[in-house]
Amino acid sequence: MVETNSENPAKEFMSTLPGDDVRQIMWRFADRYDIQMAVQSARSLARGVVARLVAEGARSSHEWNDKKAQLLTGMDEMGLTTVFMDPDEGGFIDGPKNLALALVAFELSWVDAGAATCSLASNLALSPIHEKGTPEQRHEYMSRCVPPLPGEDRKPWRGAFALTEPLPYVGVDTGILSGRMRVKEWEEGKEPILQVEKRGRFITNMGFANFVTAAVDSDDPRIKGSAMVILEEGDPGVFDRGATTLKLVHQLSSTTDPILNLTVPASRIIGGYTVKEGVIIPNVNHSDMIEAVFRRTRAPVAVMSSAKLLSAIEPVIRYQRTRFRGGAASSAGSPRYDLGLQQKEDALQRLVDIWASGEAGASLGFAAVRLFDEFDPIEREKERVLGERGIKGGRAQMKLFKEMEKSVLEYLDLAHRPEGERDEARLAELASDPLVQFLIRDSQANVLCPACKLWNTGQAATMMREAVSLMGGYGITEDCPGFLGQKWTDAQLEATYEGPEAVQRRQLSITMTNEIFLAQFRQWIKDLRGIAGRRPESGACTLASAMELWLFTLGYLQKAKDADGKPLYHSQRHGVVFPFSDALCWLLASRQQILDMLELEEKGPGNPLLAEGLAGFVNFFSDLCHVQAARAAGEVGRICAELVYGYNRHPDWCRDAMEICFQGEQLDALECIIPGIAGYAKDTVEADGTHASKAGPCPTESLETFKLLRHRLDICLTGAHLAKDRAATAIANVMIPEALDYPA
Ligand SMILES: Cc1cc2nc3c(=O)[nH]c(=O)nc-3n(C[C@H](O)[C@H](O)[C@H](O)COP(=O)(O)OP(=O)(O)OC[C@H]3O[C@@H](n4cnc5c(N)ncnc54)[C@H](O)[C@@H]3O)c2cc1C
């Protein structure tokens, strides 16, 4: 479809909703047939068994039951249980599987997030074993969880991950464990036998789990520190699944408060142990274990929430279009009949916002899991190199990494200089250093993972409410098409489990100031300026300006003090660092959304099935990018302004500030100030690899610069609402199927 008028050049709209061809390119699995197979399997389970369970009311009970158990057999039959396993353990995907697992979670969550959680929780239970277990533990438990092959007579095992404890113990703070392990028997020359006690709270899969990976602390001078331990259903002692959690959400997953008190051999300590002077020392403590686990498992949860937003689009369009059909004033072919509620600008534009937000979240979440796919082998290589050098982690590792920061920054600098203007030999040397490559990915992962968990889930909970509201009263009924009401409330659990928002903000407030991350962030701003030159309508310019404002504000906050002389940027000062972390998330999501749109534009022509409609999709996604970038810029501007001005006291400071601001009012000043900003924001590595001075402008200059940056940001919103209008028109014109494909 092509719309032309004298003011707008020809602008092709998309004719259908984006399908697999588009998504495979945007989320980078067009050449992964193994992953495409997993996606198809998950989709058919979601839109078949899962959708029927929801439609038949299976969510109305808290208890795990035979009906819900169809999910487990369904996952086994569709091959989803084995997506987590390597081929030699019975799986079918070779290499890292973070993207594959996230896509499975996306498909299941498209219909019901509880079903997705049920799938993810077994992998979560296996994750400590997968990440840090001994080769024997890994082989044993991964193989047991694989469904039986034809001719085999055994049941696949399911697991639960037990960290959270009854109040007042483990929740957000995971340090103080009440779970305990003691030596029960230890005969000379034999394996020690442990007594392990663990009470859990809100433990997923507990209604049917055959084993539990439990975090416990030592209660015995013969055991040092904490660990995670594997507890099995058949171990001697108490394996009480406990009271069922009376959840309001995710009722297709099982959650209980188990009571476990079991006797197990010390070989169940995940990652093994060493004995030194009669003391058992677990090789991996529970904190390191959960860090390794959560940094991977949180990103698929983020993707789940975004799936729900995107799944809301089709049901809302259908509802809006058909809203007035059949009324006395509506006859086929009339705008009222054909467009229904889509005649109303607000109804359409709110849907644009929901769609843009879902796209941004999906882009950020999938970027995070792809990063982990890339990171997994690099991390293993890092461990090998450190092992060779006799560095076991802890302080020695931190010291080495601190020393290496200079080389990493040098590499990042060289990598972005034009060929011919850089030392190629040095670049090649640094490029082949596994530790340099590790530190770059690590700095990104330490930001992207908490960012997507925080932003996608929290933002989805807010935007799902918008989606529900667009369905009117139907939105808050159980039979709302697309189950939107359930998806809304479910989103709050995704924002809570595996660490609520405070946990992610806490992590971000530390990791986002890492110089290696910031050096990349500065480069991303430059890249976006380049993109803006080629594709001004993508919102890249808006985003780059918002990123500059954020970066400048970070420098300001790190130096500034409040009206009482207390430093502003401090990890315990949540009022500053938490909203500032949120601001970063808006930027990261928007950036990734733009990159995915560009990927579609670049790779789309290679797919003959897409060739015809590609321009329409690229135009539409570009408009959504612009809408989202403007929204992100608004949030970032607001948050930064609140933090910069909000810690000063009325009235004197305010009067001074006004004076400064009005002096710098001329727009011409923007031109003068931008080179200054570029200088401030440019890579801070000198030719000899040392850091340039990080001393920022004096407070007066800072304030003026801040004001100009903010002003420029406002101007950079140019065209954002035109993009929203175009996106709304595209939605009003897009073809949708006659009926939703679930429940079948
Ligand atoms: C349905 C469901 C399934 C779950 N599945 C599992 C599972 O399989 N395994 C498992 O181990 N756990 C599981 N959990 C537990 C979940 O991970 C925890 O509920 C979550 O981590 C929060 O802990 P909490 O409920 O104790 O909240 P609290 O620790 O009490 O925190 C409540 C709120 O207080 C604030 N807060 C707390 N501490 C801080 C701080 N240091 N700084 C700033 N703010 C803070 C935050 O706003 C936080 O959201 C599940 C929970 C539910 C509801």
Side-chain angles (χ1 to χ4, degrees):
M1 185 180 306
V2 177
E3 191 186 67
T4 45
N5 65 39
S6 55
E7 279 171 36
N8 279 335
K11 194 84 185 170
E12 190 172 331
F13 289 118
M14 62 180 175
S15 54
T16 60
L17 296 173
D20 285 335
D21 296 326
V22 171
R23 294 317 191 178
Q24 286 166 11
I25 295 173
M26 293 176 83
W27 301 333
R28 325 291 206 278
F29 62 106
D31 55 352
R32 291 289 305 267
Y33 296 108
D34 49 354
I35 295 185
Q36 290 170 20
M37 250 170 61
V39 167
Q40 291 307 326
S41 302
R43 187 174 302 165
S44 89
L45 183 73
R47 300 181 196 197
V49 172
V50 176
R52 274 198 302 279
L53 282 172
V54 179
E56 287 165 16
R59 287 183 57 126
S60 58
S61 70
H62 298 296
E63 277 72 29
W64 188 249
N65 54 35
D66 289 347
K67 238 182 152 184
K68 295 182 190 178
Q70 290 172 28
L71 273 179
L72 300 176
T73 39
M75 285 175 205
D76 292 345
E77 284 162 13
M78 303 304 284
L80 300 181
T81 313
T82 48
V83 172
F84 191 63
M85 283 72 172
D86 281 336
D88 63 348
E89 295 155 349
F92 62 98
I93 297 179
D94 211 357
K97 298 161 191 58
N98 301 290
L99 175 60
L101 290 165
L103 281 161
V104 167
F106 180 93
E107 288 297 334
L108 293 172
S109 188
W110 186 275
V111 177
D112 186 85
T117 293
C118 202
S119 154
L120 289 177
S122 259
N123 302 336
L124 179 64
L126 280 170
S127 286
I129 303 171
H130 182 265
E131 297 307 325
K132 300 281 178 190
T134 63
E136 297 75 31
Q137 287 168 342
R138 204 182 139 135
H139 181 75
E140 179 72 30
Y141 289 92
M142 300 293 274
S143 317
R144 281 193 205 176
C145 291
V146 170
L149 294 170
E152 273 186 318
D153 182 21
R154 63 175 175 83
K155 287 217 158 82
W157 273 36
R158 325 274 180 196
F161 174 92
L163 171 64
T164 310
E165 298 178 338
L167 298 173
Y169 298 103
V170 174
V172 163
D173 275 318
T174 54
I176 317 257
L177 287 165
S178 74
R180 290 283 179 257
M181 56 181 165
R182 284 182 287 279
V183 174
K184 186 174 185 194
E185 290 167 30
W186 194 349
E187 285 182 37
E188 186 69 33
K190 287 199 182 162
E191 166 118 85
I193 303 295
L194 309 180
Q195 188 66 30
V196 180
E197 278 177 53
K198 175 82 183 181
R199 294 181 72 135
R201 176 170 56 112
F202 303 150
I203 305 303
T204 308
N205 274 10
M206 223 28 249
F208 51 81
N210 309 96
F211 72 99
V212 177
T213 44
V216 287
D217 207 350
S218 167
D219 189 27
D220 192 319
R222 288 169 295 171
I223 309 176
K224 189 171 176 212
S226 67
M228 288 201 75
V229 179
I230 306 166
L231 305 173
E232 294 183 6
E233 181 178 29
D235 290 328
V238 178
F239 190 95
D240 181 348
R241 298 182 187 280
T244 300
T245 307
L246 306 181
K247 282 178 295 187
L248 294 169
V249 294
H250 282 219
Q251 289 94 341
L252 289 192
S253 68
S254 149
T255 317
T256 73
D257 295 354
I259 301 167
L260 309 164
N261 189 355
L262 298 154
T263 307
V264 299
S267 60
R268 298 278 189 79
I269 293 175
I270 303 176
Y273 62 94
T274 41
V275 176
K276 208 167 160 192
E277 293 164 6
V279 175
I280 299 169
I281 306 173
N283 292 337
V284 190
N285 66 41
H286 90 287
S287 299
D288 289 349
M289 187 79 77
I290 57 182
E291 194 192 317
V293 167
F294 281 151
R295 73 187 315 204
R296 285 170 175 79
T297 56
R298 281 173 175 156
V301 177
V303 163
M304 277 167 56
S305 301
S306 306
K308 293 193 284 192
L309 285 180
L310 295 178
S311 80
I313 304 302
E314 188 187 326
V316 172
I317 294 179
R318 186 172 295 104
Y319 181 77
Q320 292 180 334
R321 297 239 179 109
T322 56
R323 178 66 180 82
F324 298 130
R325 279 183 197 171
S330 174
S331 54
S334 68
R336 187 173 164 83
Y337 182 94
D338 286 342
L339 289 171
L341 276 166
Q342 295 201 333
Q343 283 178 296
K344 311 292 174 197
E345 186 172 283
D346 182 66
L348 272 173
Q349 295 203 341
R350 283 181 190 277
L351 190 54
V352 170
D353 287 335
I354 294 165
W355 198 333
S357 174
E359 290 296 333
S363 291
L364 180 61
F366 284 124
V369 290
R370 286 198 306 272
L371 175 67
F372 280 111
D373 276 356
E374 205 184 310
F375 183 68
D376 282 353
I378 294 175
E379 191 179 36
R380 273 198 300 278
E381 182 60 6
K382 166 220 111 179
E383 269 158 29
R384 190 193 63 74
V385 172
L386 291 185
E388 271 177 13
R389 295 195 197 171
I391 296 173
K392 271 202 171 161
R395 271 205 210 124
Q397 179 178 300
M398 268 165 63
K399 187 163 171 270
L400 174 71
F401 287 170
K402 190 73 209 150
E403 285 162 12
M404 289 199 60
E405 194 181 288
K406 232 167 80 172
S407 306
V408 177
L409 293 172
E410 185 188 354
Y411 168 78
L412 289 170
D413 179 48
L414 286 172
H416 292 105
R417 282 179 195 269
E419 277 180 44
E421 291 177 27
R422 62 190 184 191
D423 181 344
E424 295 292 343
R426 179 69 178 146
L427 177 64
E429 183 195 343
L430 291 168
S432 62
D433 183 334
L435 296 186
V436 168
Q437 297 309 318
F438 167 79
L439 285 169
I440 291 170
R441 301 320 185 287
D442 194 48
S443 72
Q444 285 184 29
N446 285 337
V447 170
L448 284 198
C449 175
C452 69
K453 174 67 168 62
L454 168 63
W455 191 84
N456 288 25
T457 59
Q459 202 46 30
T462 302
M463 295 308 279
M464 273 311 299
R465 195 202 67 79
E466 284 284 315
V468 164
S469 80
L470 292 184
M471 300 290 275
Y474 215 177
I476 35 176
T477 65
E478 275 186 16
D479 51 351
C480 173
F483 310 133
L484 300 193
Q486 291 97 324
K487 284 175 182 166
W488 169 34
T489 48
D490 280 356
Q492 184 51 41
L493 176 55
E494 289 129 47
T496 299
Y497 69 9
E498 293 208 27
E501 286 144 304
V503 174
Q504 316 309 324
R505 290 182 175 123
R506 221 168 38 175
Q507 188 182 336
L508 275 170
S509 65
I510 294 162
T511 57
M512 70 188 177
T513 58
N514 176 343
E515 264 309 310
I516 300 175
F517 170 72
L518 290 176
Q520 294 169 83
F521 190 84
R522 289 184 190 102
Q523 183 58 42
W524 294 346
I525 297 175
K526 284 186 197 158
D527 295 344
L528 281 164
R529 291 266 175 242
I531 294 167
R534 297 194 310 277
R535 271 207 153 269
E537 72 283 21
S538 65
C541 174
T542 321
L543 183 61
S545 296
M547 287 167 79
E548 264 169 8
L549 183 75
W550 182 89
L551 195 58
F552 179 84
T553 306
L554 174 64
Y556 178 87
L557 295 175
Q558 283 176 325
K559 284 179 234 85
K561 298 198 166 136
D562 68 11
D564 297 323
K566 294 198 190 109
L568 285 183
Y569 202 95
H570 187 283
S571 65
Q572 296 306 319
R573 194 144 202 188
H574 295 169
V576 175
V577 294
F578 278 20
F580 202 62
S581 309
D582 290 346
L584 175 65
C585 296
W586 282 95
L587 298 171
L588 296 174
S590 180
R591 170 179 176 266
Q592 203 55 53
Q593 185 182 7
I594 291 174
L595 296 183
D596 283 0
M597 178 275 291
L598 293 176
E599 180 79 6
L600 179 66
E601 183 179 43
E602 186 192 328
K603 306 273 168 63
N607 181 342
L609 294 174
L610 256 181
E612 218 174 280
L614 182 63
F617 286 122
V618 173
N619 289 337
F620 177 68
F621 284 124
S622 179
D623 287 334
L624 288 190
C625 287
H626 203 160
V627 168
Q628 190 62 26
R631 177 86 170 84
E635 286 296 318
V636 171
R638 176 186 63 77
I639 292 170
C640 292
E642 281 185 20
L643 297 178
V644 166
Y645 297 118
Y647 280 95
N648 297 288
R649 199 165 279 132
H650 262 287
D652 298 343
W653 193 88
C654 180
R655 210 169 24 242
D656 292 349
M658 289 287 191
E659 220 162 86
I660 292 162
C661 289
F662 284 117
Q663 276 168 13
E665 184 61 78
Q666 314 89 325
L667 265 189
D668 296 352
L670 272 178
E671 289 304 319
C672 316
I673 209 78
I674 289 165
I677 298 307
Y680 181 84
K682 85 173 173 28
D683 293 359
T684 53
V685 189
E686 297 294 325
D688 66 355
T690 57
H691 274 268
S693 160
K694 281 189 226 150
C698 73
T700 315
E701 284 167 353
S702 289
L703 194 61
E704 190 163 353
T705 307
F706 178 82
K707 192 238 165 189
L708 286 165
L709 279 173
R710 218 181 152 204
H711 196 155
R712 179 172 65 160
L713 182 56
D714 287 350
I715 296 169
C716 284
L717 296 174
T718 307
H721 269 261
L722 295 176
K724 190 178 257 191
D725 282 347
R726 273 195 307 269
T729 310
I731 293 180
N733 283 292
V734 74
M735 277 189 298
I736 59 166
E738 273 302 304
L740 198 60
D741 63 356
Y742 67 95

